[in-house]
Amino acid sequence: MTPAGDDTSTTTPDRDLAEATREAQEAAAEAEQAADKADHSADVAAKSAEQANGSADAAGESADKADESADKADESADKAGEAAGEAAESAEDAKAPADKADDDLANELLIEERHPDVGMGLPGPPLRRSSPFMFGFFAALGVLVAWGLWNAAGRASSVLILLLVSMFIAVGLNPLVEWFMRRGLKRGLSVAVVFLLMILAVAGVGFAIVPVVTDQIDSLIRNAPQWLDLVQKSKTLDELDNRYHYVQKAKDYIQDPALAQRAFGGILGVGKVVANALFNTFTILILTLYFLASLPSVKRAAYSLVPRTRRTRVSILGDEVLARVGGYVSGQFTVALCAGFCMFVFLEIVGLREYAVALAIVVMFTAFIPMVGGLIGVVLVSLIGFTDSLWTGVACLAYGIIYQQIENYVIAPRIMRRAVDIPGAVTVIAALIGGALLGVVGALLAIPSAAAILLIIREVWVRKADDS
């Protein structure tokens, strides 16, 4: 029998041998992997060596070229040195006569020779801005510039007024352009439609008024003999003629040779006024078209001049001002349309049917003039009414006075309150000041200007006062 210790000793060496074999195989595999990596690294190192050899060869060639360039540079430097030496010798040769000439000139002018290190001299201290001379000089210069600008503005006042009126009309028509744009039309086409409507309106007014004026002139010429007979048969006028001799004075005035010259000058003056009116109308139409077409770009250009931190607020306030101006024009147009329509109905009732359309248009246009526009329309209609009959003229005058009260206290306040939102007292004061400054144009622009100023005061001044 085999002892127990012998079985144990036999099993253990076999197990150790298996483990050693496995470890040897693993080591052999690792060695093979290491050998493969070593071969790969060797290949990479060989490639790097080849690249290094190529770089070394290129560096050698570059070094050879650099040596050649250095040799050429040395040769060029030698030649430049020789040329510099020759130039220095020439400069010394030329300097001697120049020095001699300077010495002679200095001796002749009795001046001292400037030291070469000084050059043109050192600048003195700057002038004091607080000195009386500087302040007075620039103050006088500023006054002269302001005076020149004021005179230039005065000479170009007529052109500036045309620009202002054109811009005002363009801003007033812009809501109508935007209305067409909201209906699907592009801005260019909308501007064309609005401009065409404006031209048709102006042409319609001309065709409606000219026949009335022509008819009234013909009627005056036809009725002149009857009025002359009435004057001659009137006992009151005969007594006045016996006392003041106005008939003989009228004959002497008519027979005066200078009357023809004065009449011719008056005709030329009237023709000049008519020509200027036509030219100004045409200019306003063209400028209005340009402003209306380029209004968005003009607004963007104006807002871009404002600092970026305040640009948003300024653009909002500017758009609101333009909206109020447009609202004023729309509201005033509504008021004028009501006045013209009511006048047309009244003239149809009293029997002036042949003049109803023309006089209604005249009343509508005069209604755009604040405060006195309605009175002007009433006077014109009453004069036409008196040419028909006395009672017709009285009826026209009474109607005009009554309608003006209704318009001033009922129609206009209700429409303008939503358009411009300004108190009635401010409206009257603004119209008076605008009329005193620029006449009819100033009265037209006064109310929207007052609305814009009130908006700025409320949104800027009052807010700052509340925050302080």
Side-chain angles (χ1 to χ4, degrees), residues 97-110:
D99 294 339
K100 185 176 181 181
D102 292 339
D103 294 339
D104 295 339
L105 182 61
N107 292 330
E108 291 177 1
L109 299 178
L110 299 177

Side-chain angles (χ1 to χ4, degrees), residues 34 50 53 64 157 207 251 253 303 321 394 404 407 434 466:
E50 292 177 356
N53 293 329
D64 295 335
S157 59
F207 284 117
K251 290 181 180 180
Y253 179 77
Y303 295 155
V321 168
V394 172
Q404 277 302 115
E407 179 183 301
D466 293 340

Side-chain angles (χ1 to χ4, degrees), residues 8 15 18 36 45 49 52 56 88 102 165 185 209 220 232 242 265 283 286 308 314 319 324 335 410:
T8 302
R15 187 180 302 164
D36 294 336
D102 292 339
V165 172
L185 296 179
I209 293 177
L220 179 63
Q232 291 177 352
N242 293 331
T283 304
I286 297 301
R308 186 168 56 87
V314 170
D319 291 341
R324 294 201 176 190
V335 173
V410 179

Side-chain angles (χ1 to χ4, degrees), residues 8-33:
T8 302
S9 59
T10 304
T11 305
T12 300
D14 293 337
R15 187 180 302 164
D16 293 338
L17 181 59
E19 291 178 359
T21 303
R22 187 174 58 256
E23 290 177 357
Q25 291 176 353
E26 291 176 358
E30 291 177 357
E32 289 179 358
Q33 292 178 359

Side-chain angles (χ1 to χ4, degrees), residues 123-166:
L127 295 175
R128 293 182 301 168
R129 296 183 179 179
S130 60
S131 65
F133 173 77
M134 293 289 293
F135 177 78
F137 176 78
F138 284 104
L141 185 61
V143 170
L144 291 176
V145 172
W147 181 255
L149 292 176
W150 178 260
N151 289 335
R155 294 178 181 178
S157 59
S158 59
V159 179
L160 295 178
I161 290 175
L162 292 179
L163 290 174
L164 191 62
V165 172
S166 302

Side-chain angles (χ1 to χ4, degrees), residues 30 36 51 66 68 75-76 147 155 163 174 211 213 232 240 252 279 296 301 318 349 395 412 427-428 430 457:
E30 291 177 357
D36 294 336
Q51 293 178 356
E68 293 177 358
E75 294 177 358
S76 300
W147 181 255
R155 294 178 181 178
L163 290 174
N174 188 59
V213 176
Q232 291 177 352
L240 291 175
D252 294 338
F279 176 76
I349 293 174
T427 302
V428 176
I457 290 175

